[in-house]
Amino acid sequence: MPITRSILATAAQHPDRPAIVGESAALSYAELAEDGRRVIAAVRHLLAQAPSLPTPATETQGAPVIAVSSTSAFEAARIMAGLAGYRAVSATIDPRWPVDHQRHVIAEVGIGLVIVDDDEAEARLRSALGPDWGGVVVPVQRFREIEAQVQPAEPPQVRDADEPYLMLFSSGTTSSPKAFLKTRGQYRANFAVSSRYLEPLPGVATLAPGAFAYSLTLYATVECLASGGEAHLADELSLPGLGQRVAQQRITRIVTVPAVLRGIIAQATRRPEDFAGLELIVVGGANLPNALREDLRRVLPHVRLISYYGAAEIGFIGDARGDDSTWNQIYDGVQVEIRDDAGHPVPDGEIGTLWVLADSRSDDYIAGTADVHLLDEHGWATVGDQGRAAVVGGERQLQLLGRKGDIINVGGHKVALPEVTRAYAGLTVAGKHREAVAVGLPDTALGTAVALVIEAGELVSADSGGPVCADSREQNGPAQALGEQLSKAALREHGRARLAPQFIPTKYYAVKALPRTVGGKVRTAETVKLIQAGGKGVVRL
């Protein structure tokens, strides 16, 4: 990891500088350097007490795997940082995963110690793992007590580049997570890219709200500590007092997701003075709606915005800045290639699967957690993202179009659903911003049709639903009120002004709320199921 050297150097030069700041606790760099000695000592003590430790996955090179499954971003961050200077693999398991998903990854990768929130979480996980699992589950408070009792270990050391350190997971919200490792060298390569483009500078106070299990939050913490900056964390993405915290803790940089950016814009509209010291917002995820850029510029014209694209398995790939989020510059040192289903490169401008060659890529998924491979025989990596490449403004750039399921065939034409979704970003109905998402639905004439689903909130009551035509004179009650606000003809004209003919939605629906992940992303597969099931809360326009 790139952080041990930086933690020790910053502790020596700026011992009182905040290193990790949570919602109710903080550690300076001097405290963090010493904290790691107690963390590893407590870990060794607990592992020594285990009756029969699981064998770590072969890919870990025999290093013990230590997992934190806690809602406290501060606890997860300090343990991750504390383990960095020792021979150990650190993992973060989202406590909101189904317990069966947690059991699966713990058993498959040979995790020996899991630190959880409380006694209830401990009992639940122990029951799921069963009597044959020989590892240790311990609540955070008990782990803290052991840290205070044991003799601190030897000082941390900068480790070899080829040692595995971080174990990360794909999303475990709807399917069993895939596990993969990052060596210290791979993360050093990752930091070399992000530090050049995303400005995690020494001494800069960065706020990264959200569960530490999110790769965005975890890496924002890593890059802050690697640069000698301040990592300010919040346990949830939803942070009503975000503006006050930005002002009080003198935050100049925020790393977050589009959902939080909307919240920042809303808070800045009411209290712009809270954000007077903010200089930069870095948003993870490609294809940030341009409407959000415009809204941020309107309320906080002094704040710069960078939206980056990357994959945890691969690393940072490119970013968009300025007025347009559609095309991403490709970072120096990163090579990209767009391929068809047979694995052959496609001409610029055509849609295909994105493959990347970068030093920060992982070697593969851990056996037993995935039935696919990350790399091809030449070392190129893919996570299945779809996109196109083309020369824009004199340089070859990248446009992301979602995962393979986001590309549908409509009457013989390839349609990228995220492009349709982008065209409807910033939709305002009844004086409020309404999020809309494009999905593909079966159609007898076209095979698949483009449908637009609008999150209409209070305009859809729990009693409205079914195949109701919004402009029908026969309807009444909530559906009639919805029809007065949402016109199918107006929505179609909105699309005609922004999209190619085959991209224009032919079906329109309104729902009270779109299905979302815990991170706030719309779950398109669940949205399709919701529409197909119909019933209450779904209105066809």
Side-chain angles (χ1 to χ4, degrees):
M1 288 291 283
I3 63 177
T4 300
R5 181 182 288 108
S6 174
I7 289 172
L8 296 176
T10 308
Q13 299 168 12
H14 307 282
D16 297 328
R17 177 181 292 171
I20 303 174
V21 181
E23 294 181 355
S24 58
L27 286 172
S28 69
Y29 270 92
E31 291 169 334
L32 183 62
E34 287 301 309
D35 191 68
R37 300 177 63 187
R38 290 187 289 272
V39 166
I40 191 62
V43 164
R44 290 169 177 171
H45 173 83
L46 286 165
L47 293 179
Q49 306 303 312
S52 177
L53 277 177
T55 301
T58 303
E59 294 89 341
T60 68
Q61 301 176 20
V65 185
I66 316 304
V68 179
S69 181
S70 171
T71 55
S72 170
F74 174 81
E75 289 294 338
R78 79 171 187 91
I79 293 171
M80 178 278 296
L83 293 175
Y86 302 91
R87 187 173 182 270
V89 172
S90 176
T92 305
I93 296 175
D94 194 331
R96 288 165 293 196
W97 282 355
V99 69
D100 192 55
H101 289 181
Q102 298 181 44
R103 179 203 58 76
H104 171 74
V105 297
I106 290 169
E108 287 294 339
V109 304
I111 293 174
L113 169 63
V114 187
I115 302 166
V116 298
D117 275 326
D118 50 34
D119 293 342
E120 182 180 348
E122 177 190 8
R124 184 169 59 249
L125 190 56
R126 282 187 183 278
S127 175
L129 288 165
D132 294 335
W133 180 71
V136 180
V137 183
V138 61
V140 167
Q141 184 56 42
R142 175 60 181 151
F143 186 77
R144 283 273 195 171
E145 292 170 359
I146 294 172
E147 286 182 273
Q149 296 167 2
V150 296
Q151 184 72 20
E154 73 280 3
Q157 296 180 337
V158 178
R159 312 292 299 183
D160 291 341
D162 61 353
E163 275 193 12
Y165 170 61
L166 274 182
M167 180 179 289
L168 303 173
F169 305 96
S170 64
S171 172
T173 304
T174 58
S175 61
S176 294
K178 298 190 291 288
F180 55 96
L181 289 169
K182 288 291 184 185
T183 66
R184 287 165 167 83
Q186 289 164 352
Y187 248 101
R188 288 166 189 163
N190 210 22
F191 177 68
V193 174
S194 73
S195 60
R196 178 176 179 180
Y197 292 97
L198 303 181
E199 304 179 29
L201 304 176
V204 165
T206 296
L207 175 62
F212 200 72
Y214 300 159
S215 58
L216 179 147
T217 306
L218 187 152
Y219 187 74
T221 304
V222 168
E223 65 179 5
C224 286
L225 298 178
S227 65
E230 303 176 15
H232 295 250
L233 305 175
D235 300 338
E236 299 288 342
L237 284 171
S238 176
L239 192 62
L242 185 145
Q244 293 180 356
R245 189 167 179 187
V246 168
Q248 292 170 358
Q249 298 182 353
R250 299 180 181 180
I251 304 294
T252 60
R253 179 175 176 264
I254 296 177
V255 179
T256 191
V257 295
V260 173
L261 179 59
R262 289 193 181 94
I264 292 172
I265 292 169
Q267 292 189 39
T269 301
R270 295 189 297 269
R271 289 182 55 87
E273 62 273 16
D274 286 346
F275 300 90
L278 185 64
E279 298 175 4
L280 174 65
I281 298 177
V282 178
V283 178
N287 299 327
L288 181 74
N290 288 333
L292 280 180
R293 288 184 176 275
E294 295 167 3
D295 289 344
L296 179 66
R297 188 183 301 112
R298 175 177 49 81
V299 296
L300 297 175
H302 66 285
V303 176
R304 294 177 296 118
L305 178 62
I306 301 173
S307 58
Y308 74 83
Y309 165 66
E313 295 96 319
I314 300 172
F316 291 99
I317 296 168
D319 71 46
R321 52 188 80 196
D323 296 331
D324 188 7
S325 298
T326 304
W327 291 93
N328 295 265
Q329 66 165 326
I330 301 168
Y331 292 145
D332 288 346
V334 176
Q335 299 180 57
V336 303
E337 193 169 82
I338 308 297
R339 302 179 186 175
D340 61 20
D341 291 343
H344 303 130
V346 303
D348 276 4
E350 290 193 12
I351 296 173
T353 301
L354 171 65
W355 289 80
V356 180
L357 189 63
D359 291 339
S360 55
R361 69 197 185 283
S362 294
D363 295 326
D364 202 353
Y365 295 110
I366 293 178
T369 69
D371 55 5
V372 296
H373 293 288
L374 180 63
L375 308 183
D376 68 5
E377 63 273 22
H378 302 295
W380 288 73
T382 187
V383 293
D385 283 343
Q386 302 294 291
R388 60 166 68 96
V391 176
V392 180
E395 64 176 342
R396 193 162 183 263
Q397 298 194 34
L398 177 66
Q399 187 178 70
L400 277 301
L401 303 171
R403 293 294 171 97
K404 204 159 194 174
D406 295 326
I407 310 297
I408 62 174
N409 191 300
V410 179
H413 297 281
K414 278 188 176 180
V415 172
L417 292 171
E419 289 191 339
V420 182
T421 297
R422 272 203 308 275
Y424 285 89
L427 191 66
T428 300
V429 181
K432 292 185 179 179
H433 168 80
R434 311 286 176 173
E435 188 157 359
V437 62
V439 297
L441 293 179
D443 184 86
T444 54
L446 299 171
T448 307
V450 181
L452 188 73
V453 185
I454 301 160
E455 189 172 58
E458 76 285 354
L459 298 179
V460 175
S461 77
D463 296 327
S464 62
V468 180
C469 177
D471 53 9
S472 169
R473 294 183 180 180
E474 296 179 0
Q475 68 180 26
N476 51 46
Q480 183 177 16
L482 179 61
E484 294 169 356
Q485 302 291 348
L486 282 172
S487 163
K488 180 178 179 179
L491 291 169
R492 187 181 291 116
E493 285 303 314
H494 182 96
R496 283 175 178 163
R498 296 165 174 81
L499 294 166
Q502 67 270 22
F503 280 59
I504 300 169
T506 55
K507 300 180 181 183
Y508 299 85
Y509 298 85
V511 297
K512 188 175 183 64
L514 289 165
R516 296 178 184 274
T517 67
V518 293
K521 292 183 179 179
V522 176
R523 296 164 64 178
T524 53
E526 294 301 315
T527 301
V528 170
K529 292 178 182 178
L530 176 66
I531 296 303
Q532 290 179 322
K536 293 182 178 181
V538 177
V539 178
R540 183 173 179 179
L541 304 178

